[in-house]
Amino acid sequence: MQIERWSLRLRMFLFFAFLAGSTILAINLGLWLGYRKLGIAEALDGFIFAGIIAVFGVLGATVWVWILFDEHVAKPIQTLSGTLLARAQSDHPNTKTDHSARYLGDLSLAAQTVTNQLVQTRRLLAKTVAHETAELIETNEKLAALAAEIPFGILLVSGSHKIAFYNGAATDLCGSDLYVSDKKLGLGHSIFDILTPAPLISAYARLCAGDGGIGHVIPLTVMVQDGTQILSARMRLAHAPQSKQDRPAYVLTLDDTAPDQQRRNAHSTLGTQAIRLLADLGATLQTVQNAREHVGSEQAIPKLNAAQQELLNTTAIKAAEVFEEYKHLNALRTQTVIQVSGENICDAVVARLKDVGITLMASQNDPVYLNVDPDPLISLLTHTATRLSQDGAKALSMLITPEDTGVMIALGWSGEALYVDRLDAWLSEPIDTDHPQASWRKVLNDIDTDMWPEAGRGTRRVLKLPIAHAAISAQQNRRGATYDFDLLAKPSQDTHLSTALSDLTYVVFDTETTGLFPNAGDEICQVAAVRIVNGKVVRGETLDALVDPERHIPKAATKIHHITNEMVREHPTIDVVGRALHSFARGAVLVAHNAPFDMAFLHRHASRIGAQFDHPVIDTVLLSAVVFGQSQPHSLDEICTRLGINIPPDQRHTALGDTIATAQAFLKMLKMAEAKGITTFEDLVMEMKRHSRLQPDLNNRTLAD
C-alpha cells in the first residue's frame, strides 16, 4: 500500500474520520468509567443519553470542520497543484487561478509568481535554443526534402529490426494505401511487418559475419508481405559490429523491379515474334519451293512467284515493325526517367528563357509530380517558347494542370495564331546541328505525346502538350523523410503493465458519428488517428478517413461535425476503415477522449472488421481526473484551456482536429502524471481506476493478462 499515492482529500477525510472516531471513543470511555465510579444504576439512562448527544455533537462538528477544510484547503491545494503542473507544461503564465485558491492566501500568489517566472525563463531558454539550432533545423529540413526527391526507397533499421527512418519513395514501394495494404510503414514498427523476413535476416547475418565485399553491401530481392510486389534491395550496415553481441543498425535501399521485368518480358515477346516470323517465312518458302518442283504447268510459275513476293513484302513489313519496337524499348531503357515536380519544370523553363531575354510567367494549378526525363521536356518547352517569341508572341505564360490521365502543359501567348504547319516546321528542326537526325519531334515521340495549337480566351492563344503517362500526386500526399534516430538505441518494448509510459507507442484517435447511441443504430461517419512514438507526434503518420455509415446522417449531427450525406457517399464502409485503423494501431496503446463511446462503435463492428480492438486504452477524461482531480471539469475544451492548447474553431468537432488536440493534451498530461510519480502503465491504470465513478476504465483485460 503506497500511502503517498493517496490524494490529499482522501488523506484529510481519513484524518478527520480517525479524529471523530477517537474522540467519540474517548468520550464514551470516559462516560462508562464515570458511570462505574458513580455506582448508581438509575444513572445509566442519563449517561447513555449524554453519550448519544456527545456522539452526534462530535460527528456534526467534525463533518462541518472537514467540509470547511475540504472546500477551503484540500480542494484549492489540489486545484493549485494541477494548475501549477499545467503551467509547467504550457506557455501561458497568465492563466487565471481557480477562484477557490483565494482561501490559500499568500500561497496562491506565491505559487503564481513562481510559475510565471518559470514559464518566462523557459521561454527565454527556448528562444535561445531555437536561435542556436536554427541552422541545424534548416539543415534537417533540407535533408528531409532531399530524401523526398530520391526516387528509390531508403530505410534505416535498428539491430532489432525496428524502423527509425524512411522516405516517401519507401512508403510508395511498400504500399502507401492502408485500404489496400494490410500494414503500412511506421516509426518503431518491425520491418518484418512490411517485407518478408527470411532474405533480410540472412543478409543481415552475412553482413555481421563480414560478408559484403569492399563496400560491405549485399544485394538481395525481397517481397512485400501482401505478395503484391517484388523489390530489389541493397543492405549496408551503419557500422561494423564491435562484438558478437553487437547488433548494429543497417540501411536498406529499395527499388521496383517491375519496370525491368516489363522490359525483359517485352524483349522476350519480341524475340518470340521474330522467331515465329522467321519460322512461318521458312515454312511458307519451303511450301512454295515444293510447289515449284511438283507443278508441271508453266502458267502456274508466275502465280507462285507473285505469292512468294507478297509473302516477302509482308514479312519485311512485320520485321520492320518488330525492329522499331525493339529500338523503342532500347530508347526507353536509356532514358533518365525520374520523378520531378511541376514547380521545378516551371522554374527551369523560366530560368532558361530569362538567359536569352524572354520573360515567361509559369505556374501550376495544384502541386504535381511527373515521371519523365526532365531535360528533354524542359528543352522542348524552352525551344517552343523561344520560337513563339521570335514570331512576335507577347505575354508568354505556362500553366501545368492535373487531369484524369496525367497533366496538361499549356503555353499561352497574346498575338497571332499558330498554324499546324508552322508548328511542324519548328518540331522538325534538329536539336543539335551536329546530329541533324535528332529533331524535336523525336523528343515528343520519346515522351509518347504530341503538341497542338488551340484558341484561348479573347486574344489569347494556347499550345497544348499533354503528359499522358505522368504519375501525379498532390503535395500533401507526397511525404518527405520520417525519422527518429533515438529509436536506434531504444530496446524493444511490449505494451505490458511494467513498461514505462515514455517507452510506449500510442495511437490517439477520434470518431464522428451519426448520433450518440451505438446500440440503437448510430454509426461512425469519420475516423482520424495520429501516432505518438518516443514522446512525439509523428508528422506524416496520420489516418483521416470519411466513412459511409450506410444510413442517413441526421441534420442535428451534421450541425455539429459538418459531415453531410453527400460527403460520405462512395467512401469506404466501417469494415474497410476499421481494418485500416486496427493495422495503424498495431502494437500501440489506444488513446481517446471519452474512450468508452468510441470503443463501443468499434467493438460493435468487430466481427465485420475481422479484428478485435483489445488494445490497452487510456481515456483522457480519466487521465485529467488523475492529474487535475476528480472535482474539476474534464471536457476536451476545458482540458485544452487549462493546458493552453488552442483548437481552431473550424477544426473543433472534426475527427482530425479533435485528435490532434487530444494528442497535444495527452502528452502534456502524461508529463504531469510522471511528475506525480506515475511512471509505468500499471501505475496509470491503477490511478485511473480510482476515478471509475466518472466512467469505467477499459483495461480489465489488460490487468487480467
Side-chain angles (χ1 to χ4, degrees), residues 86-109:
R87 287 177 180 173
Q89 301 300 325
S90 67
D91 293 328
H92 293 265
N94 295 321
T95 303
K96 293 183 179 180
T97 307
D98 188 271
H99 73 281
S100 62
R102 67 184 185 275
Y103 298 119
L104 300 179
D106 293 339
L107 177 61
S108 174
L109 179 61

Side-chain angles (χ1 to χ4, degrees), residues 18-34:
F18 173 77
L19 182 63
S22 59
T23 302
I24 290 171
L25 181 62
I27 290 174
N28 281 280
L29 180 61
L31 289 173
W32 181 76
L33 291 175

Side-chain angles (χ1 to χ4, degrees), residues 195-462:
L195 303 175
T196 50
L200 296 174
I201 294 173
S202 174
Y204 185 72
R206 289 172 55 196
L207 283 173
C208 290
D211 289 352
I214 297 176
H216 302 288
V217 177
I218 290 182
L220 62 153
T221 301
V222 295
M223 180 181 290
V224 179
Q225 278 285 15
D226 58 12
T228 58
Q229 201 164 5
I230 297 176
L231 306 174
S232 63
R234 291 164 61 87
M235 183 184 291
R236 180 196 300 270
L237 292 182
H239 61 82
Q242 304 300 316
S243 64
K244 290 185 178 180
Q245 290 74 32
D246 188 17
R247 308 285 292 174
Y250 58 91
V251 178
L252 192 67
T253 58
L254 303 174
D255 200 3
D256 189 3
T257 62
D260 292 336
Q261 186 62 44
Q262 290 171 358
R263 281 195 293 270
R264 285 194 293 268
N265 292 341
H267 275 104
S268 177
T269 301
L270 287 176
T272 302
Q273 290 178 2
I275 292 172
R276 185 179 295 115
L277 194 63
L278 292 174
D280 291 345
L281 176 62
T284 306
L285 289 176
Q286 183 64 43
T287 301
V288 172
Q289 185 61 34
N290 292 338
R292 287 178 185 275
E293 295 175 356
H294 293 87
V295 172
S297 172
E298 292 292 334
Q299 297 177 352
I301 298 299
K303 294 182 179 180
L304 289 174
N305 289 338
Q308 179 176 316
Q309 187 61 44
E310 182 180 357
L311 173 63
L312 290 173
N313 291 338
T314 303
T315 303
I317 293 172
K318 291 182 178 179
E321 291 175 352
V322 171
F323 183 65
E324 286 298 322
E325 183 66 21
Y326 178 78
K327 289 197 300 182
H328 178 66
L329 286 174
N330 283 340
L332 289 177
R333 185 174 61 183
T334 58
Q335 286 180 14
T336 308
V337 178
I338 64 173
Q339 194 170 65
V340 60
S341 68
E343 182 180 8
N344 288 342
I345 291 176
C346 291
D347 292 343
V349 174
V350 169
R352 291 192 185 185
L353 290 173
K354 185 178 180 181
D355 290 340
V356 295
I358 299 174
T359 300
L360 177 136
M361 300 295 293
S363 63
Q364 53 182 348
N365 276 351
D366 295 302
V368 294
Y369 288 80
L370 300 84
N371 281 339
V372 294
D373 187 353
D375 190 63
L377 175 61
I378 293 168
S379 298
L380 172 64
L381 292 169
T382 304
H383 168 75
T384 308
T386 302
R387 287 289 182 264
L388 286 170
S389 178
Q390 291 172 350
D391 268 17
K394 304 295 183 182
L396 289 172
S397 65
M398 185 174 77
L399 180 65
I400 301 179
T401 306
E403 294 189 340
D404 292 339
T405 58
V407 299
M408 179 64 74
I409 302 177
L411 278 173
W413 72 94
S414 295
E416 296 296 328
L418 175 64
Y419 295 101
V420 174
D421 56 348
R422 180 67 169 161
L423 176 61
D424 287 339
W426 293 350
L427 295 176
S428 299
E429 295 175 359
I431 298 174
D432 188 346
T433 54
D434 294 334
H435 301 87
Q437 72 280 5
S439 66
W440 295 107
R441 173 64 68 182
K442 183 178 183 302
V443 173
L444 283 176
N445 293 337
D446 289 342
I447 302 176
D448 195 17
T449 187
D450 202 352
M451 300 176 75
W452 64 87
E454 290 183 0
R457 294 182 179 179
T459 60
R460 297 290 292 175
R461 314 293 181 181
V462 180

Side-chain angles (χ1 to χ4, degrees), residues 410-600:
L411 278 173
W413 72 94
S414 295
E416 296 296 328
L418 175 64
Y419 295 101
V420 174
D421 56 348
R422 180 67 169 161
L423 176 61
D424 287 339
W426 293 350
L427 295 176
S428 299
E429 295 175 359
I431 298 174
D432 188 346
T433 54
D434 294 334
H435 301 87
Q437 72 280 5
S439 66
W440 295 107
R441 173 64 68 182
K442 183 178 183 302
V443 173
L444 283 176
N445 293 337
D446 289 342
I447 302 176
D448 195 17
T449 187
D450 202 352
M451 300 176 75
W452 64 87
E454 290 183 0
R457 294 182 179 179
T459 60
R460 297 290 292 175
R461 314 293 181 181
V462 180
L463 187 62
K464 295 291 187 72
L465 171 61
I467 308 295
H469 301 292
I472 308 167
S473 58
Q475 178 68 34
Q476 60 266 26
N477 293 330
R478 182 169 173 81
R479 298 256 303 276
T482 304
Y483 59 91
D484 186 343
F485 296 126
D486 291 337
L487 295 174
L488 294 175
K490 199 167 187 178
S492 298
Q493 294 285 351
D494 297 322
T495 55
H496 49 72
L497 295 174
S498 61
T499 304
L501 293 172
S502 58
D503 290 336
L504 291 171
T505 297
Y506 304 93
V507 166
V508 186
F509 79 102
D510 184 53
T511 63
E512 299 298 334
T513 63
T514 61
L516 303 176
F517 306 103
N519 294 325
D522 283 319
E523 298 289 352
I524 293 174
C525 57
Q526 188 179 27
V527 174
V530 297
R531 292 185 76 233
I532 295 176
V533 179
N534 213 19
K536 297 182 287 290
V537 176
V538 182
R539 186 174 59 180
E541 294 189 10
T542 302
L543 174 66
D544 184 16
L546 289 172
V547 183
D548 182 357
E550 300 178 285
R551 57 152 291 172
H552 179 75
I553 301 177
K555 291 183 179 180
T558 299
K559 286 182 179 179
I560 296 174
H561 49 54
H562 307 295
I563 299 173
T564 64
N565 292 287
E566 291 73 20
M567 291 170 61
V568 298
R569 189 173 294 123
E570 297 183 0
H571 277 270
T573 52
I574 187 59
D575 54 331
V576 177
V577 179
R579 281 194 295 272
L581 176 62
H582 190 273
S583 174
F584 188 79
R586 65 187 186 277
V589 176
L590 289 176
V591 179
H593 190 77
N594 192 18
F597 175 78
D598 299 288
M599 296 302 295

